[in-house]
Every structure is written in structure tokens, then in C-alpha cells.
Amino acid sequence: MTTTETRAVTVGDKATEHTFGPLTITDIVRYAGASGDMNPLHHDEAAAKAAGFAGIFSIGMFQAGLLATFAANWLGAENVRRFTTRFKEQVWPGDTLTCTGEVTDVHAGDGGSTVEITLTCTRQTGGVAIDGSAEFWLPGPETAEIVRSYT
């Protein structure tokens, strides 16, 4: 469930972190099917091991999708103007991912504000699975005014 809180967004604001998982093989395979990426490294244990991996692992775009969902739930999907990510560490079945975000810049103008944020998706080990950034345009008289979070 998403709730809406209205207040000014300022540099240094942080989103309420959100945790996904533990991820299951079913989660990974369902994403593979939905995305059309049926590379056997993501659903066939024997193929993954034959390629030198410990087992199947998640598709990087799955974590990117979770991070994008987190950001959109925070500042509104309708307000997204740019979203980028960088894959840093593999994600395995059983991993729990925690998404965090922080406002790094706010520019007011044209009836709203452009808000720059940094985003991080961290495994339970402390390793960063992916990081990224995004730009949102938030309507409001002089400062950004929409903040959403999971409850």
C-alpha cells in the first residue's frame, strides 16, 4: 500500500527504505519470462554451473525494476523524467534487497521543481547490487511537494 504525504522536498531528504525478498527462484524465473530474457543462466541450474557460476542468478534488470518501483512509489511514477542504473554485484536466490534513496539537488521553476536523487539497492551482505540516479519533476508552487512511501 502506498500513502501520500505532502511536504517540501529538500536536498538531503531520504526515502523510507524498502526491502524486497528474500528473492526466490520463482521470482527470478517469472521476471525472465515476463521480460523475454530466457538465458539459461537465470533458470537452469545445470547450465549456470556449467558456465562457472554457483547456480542461477537474477537478471540485473529485475533489480533495476525493483529500484525503479521504489523510486516511483517515493516521488510518483507520473513525475519520472530520467532513471539510470549501474549493475555492480550479482543477486542470488535467497537474497534480500534493500532500496534507499536521497535527494541530491532541487531546482524550482516553471510551476514545480526538478528533483535529482541517488538510488542504491543493497544485498543483505552489504554489497551493492545496483546503484543509480533519477530525475523527477514535481508540480508545486515553489518547491516540490509530493512524497510517497510504502506503509
Side-chain angles (χ1 to χ4, degrees):
M1 182 173 146
T2 301
T3 60
T4 301
E5 169 190 351
T6 301
R7 67 177 181 81
V9 174
T10 60
V11 173
D13 283 356
K14 295 181 181 179
T16 302
E17 67 180 40
H18 186 77
T19 300
F20 296 92
L23 301 181
T24 66
I25 292 173
T26 301
D27 294 330
I28 295 167
V29 172
R30 287 177 68 192
Y31 182 84
S35 71
D37 183 352
M38 294 306 294
N39 184 322
L41 297 176
H42 304 300
H43 65 85
D44 184 330
E45 189 81 11
K49 288 183 177 179
F53 296 101
I56 70 164
F57 54 93
S58 181
I59 299 166
M61 288 305 293
F62 181 41
Q63 294 80 257
L66 296 175
L67 194 59
T69 298
F70 167 77
N73 283 334
W74 177 24
L75 296 172
E78 67 279 13
N79 300 321
V80 175
R81 296 299 180 264
R82 178 184 52 78
F83 175 79
T84 62
T85 59
R86 182 177 189 172
F87 304 142
K88 303 195 81 160
E89 191 170 294
Q90 287 177 311
V91 171
W92 305 92
D95 278 357
T96 298
L97 303 176
T98 301
C99 294
T100 59
E102 180 173 353
V103 175
T104 57
D105 199 9
V106 178
H107 296 281
D110 292 330
S113 297
T114 300
V115 177
E116 299 283 338
I117 61 173
T118 58
L119 298 160
T120 305
C121 178
T122 306
R123 296 177 58 225
Q124 76 285 350
T125 60
V128 175
I130 60 172
D131 62 17
S133 63
E135 178 184 294
F136 288 76
W137 186 85
L138 302 181
E142 296 202 14
T143 59
E145 292 185 339
I146 300 173
V147 176
R148 296 181 175 145
S149 63
Y150 289 103
T151 56

